[in-house]
Amino acid sequence: MASSKKGIPKNHVIGFILSLVMTVAAAWAAIRSDLPVTWVIIGIMVLALLQAGVQLFMFMHVIEAGSGGGHVPWNMMFHGFALAAILVAGSLFTMSFGFDHGDHGGGSGGGDEQFEEQPEEHAGH
Amino acid sequence: MAAEELKTGPLEYRSQEGRMGILGFWIFLGAEVVLFATLFATYAVLFGRTADAPTPAELFEPGIVLIMTFLLLTSSFTCGLAVNEMRKGNTKGLTIWMVITLALGVAFLGFEIYEFVHYAHEGATLQSSAYWSAFFVLAGTHGLHVTLGIGWAILLLIQIAKRGLTNKTSRKFFVISLYWHFLDVIWIFIFTSVYLIGMVI
C-alpha cells in the first residue's frame, strides 16, 4: 500500500481475491472432497481456465483500446489455447486412449484409466 | 520511429514502435502457450509410467505446492500494481512493487528447488522413469522461465532507475509484466493438471 495516491485499483483486488478463492476451491476439491474423480478433474480444469481468464482480463490488459492492437492479443491467446487443447487431447487420443500400461501397482490401475480419458473432455471445449 | 506520437494515454502505447513491440510480445506469448502445450501433452501421455520410481501420489505434498501457488499468485498481483504505479508516473512505487514481486518469485524458486532436491533424494530424478522425465522437464521449463524473468526484471529496474520512465522503458516494463503474469497462468495449469490430478489419482 506504500505509495499509491489513488489507492489500489479495484479490478486488481477483485482478480487477486478471485484467484485465491479458486485456488483454494480447486485444492479442496482435489484433496478433501469426496466427489467422484471424474467430476473433480473436470471441475478443477474449469477452475484453471477461469483463473487464466482472470489473469488475462484483470491483470494483463488483454483488451485495451489504447494498445492499438485491436483483437490481436486475445486472438493470439485464444489460438494458443485452442492449439494446446488439440495437442493435449490429440496426444492422449493417439498415444494413451484405451491403452492400459498397468506395470506399476495394480491398485491404482482403474484410476489411471480414468485419467487418460478425462483431459479430453475438458480440452474439448 | 513513429510518424506521429500520441500526447495522451499510457506512455508505452504512445509511439507506433511501443504499440507494435507490445503486440509482438503477445504473439510471442501465443507461441509460448504452444511450447508448454507440447510439454503438457508429453506429460499427460507419460502419466503413470513411473517404472520402479515412486509414484507422484507418494511424493506430492499439498502444503508446499499450495505455498508455491500462493507466492506466485501474490507476485502476479503485485506485478499488476507495479504497472498501475507506472501509469501514474510513479517510478518509486513501480520499483517497490516490482522488488516485492521479485522477492516472491525468488521464494517460489527456492521452494521449487527444495522440492526437486527432495524428490531426487526419494529416488525420482530426470533419469528414473519416463513419467519423472516429463515432470521435471515441464516443471523445470517453467522454473527456468521464472529464473530468466527475475534476471530480466532486475536489469530493467536498473535501467529504469537510470533513465526514468520514458516511452521506451515503459514499453519494456509493460512487456515484462505480461511475461510475469503469463508465468502465473502456466503455473495454474501445472498446479492443477500435474499436482492436483497427481494427488487425486
Side-chain angles (χ1 to χ4, degrees):
Chain A
M1 334 292 122
S3 51
S4 47
K5 287 162 205 159
K6 295 173 204 164
I8 294 169
K10 251 186 208 154
N11 60 342
H12 280 53
V13 178
I14 295 170
F16 183 48
I17 293 171
L18 276 177
S19 55
L20 289 182
V21 169
M22 285 193 271
T23 301
V24 172
W28 175 83
I31 298 162
R32 285 281 157 80
S33 79
D34 295 326
L35 298 167
V37 173
T38 310
W39 287 107
V40 169
I41 292 175
I42 293 173
I44 61 181
M45 289 315 295
V46 169
L47 283 172
L49 283 173
L50 288 174
Q51 277 213 57
V54 166
Q55 292 287 325
L56 285 169
F57 289 96
M58 303 285 218
F59 292 158
M60 289 171 81
H61 313 267
V62 66
I63 292 176
E64 196 162 54
S67 73
H71 296 296
V72 174
W74 74 260
N75 266 220
M76 289 316 297
M77 287 297 109
F78 179 78
H79 281 116
F81 278 98
L83 274 172
I86 292 166
L87 262 168
V88 174
S91 299
L92 281 170
F93 179 64
T94 51
M95 306 290 287
S96 296
F97 191 65
F99 175 63
D100 188 11
H101 49 81
D103 55 343
H104 63 95
S108 59
D112 275 342
E113 263 195 59
Q114 267 189 319
F115 172 79
E116 317 286 7
E117 292 168 21
Q118 284 335 302
E120 298 199 47
E121 288 191 36
H122 85 75
H125 48 70
Chain B
M1 300 301 107
E4 47 195 297
E5 214 158 84
L6 303 174
K7 296 287 176 234
T8 57
L11 284 178
E12 65 269 25
Y13 290 146
R14 285 192 192 176
S15 70
Q16 171 83 1
E17 189 191 354
R19 289 194 296 273
M20 290 303 109
I22 289 167
L23 196 64
F25 198 75
W26 277 107
I27 295 170
F28 167 75
L29 288 185
E32 286 275 279
V33 171
V34 177
L35 162 71
F36 277 99
T38 61
L39 299 177
F40 274 108
T42 310
Y43 174 86
V45 166
L46 296 177
F47 189 86
R49 285 154 168 79
T50 42
D52 296 329
T55 64
E58 285 166 18
L59 289 189
F60 289 167
E61 285 162 27
I64 186 171
V65 178
L66 272 173
I67 291 172
M68 286 163 78
T69 305
F70 287 136
L71 283 172
L72 216 55
L73 282 178
T74 312
S75 83
S76 187
F77 173 61
T78 55
C79 181
L81 296 181
V83 169
N84 187 54
E85 293 299 325
M86 176 178 86
R87 290 191 167 176
K88 289 192 227 161
N90 183 352
T91 313
K92 199 177 159 226
L94 174 152
T95 310
I96 291 170
W97 284 121
M98 202 56 198
V99 168
I100 296 173
T101 304
L102 293 181
L104 291 165
V106 169
F108 170 86
L109 268 186
F111 276 104
E112 183 157 64
I113 291 166
Y114 165 81
E115 185 204 359
F116 282 8
V117 170
H118 171 69
Y119 291 168
H121 279 304
E122 299 289 329
T125 66
L126 199 58
Q127 292 94 339
S128 54
S129 70
Y131 169 82
W132 287 107
S133 298
F135 168 84
F136 282 115
V137 171
L138 173 55
T141 303
H142 177 267
L144 183 67
H145 276 76
V146 175
T147 314
L148 283 174
I150 291 170
W152 177 11
I154 290 171
L155 292 176
L156 188 53
L157 282 178
I158 295 170
Q159 191 174 71
I160 288 175
K162 284 190 171 168
R163 299 186 191 169
L165 283 175
T166 64
N167 288 4
K168 274 197 176 172
T169 54
S170 299
R171 182 254 296 162
K172 289 180 183 177
F173 191 77
F174 189 80
V175 160
I176 198 171
S177 82
L178 289 182
Y179 181 79
W180 197 265
H181 293 307
F182 171 77
L183 292 183
D184 194 41
V185 172
I186 296 297
W187 178 257
I188 290 163
F189 284 97
I190 294 180
F191 169 70
T192 305
S193 56
V194 174
Y195 289 98
L196 289 184
I197 293 182
M199 284 188 273
V200 167
I201 290 173

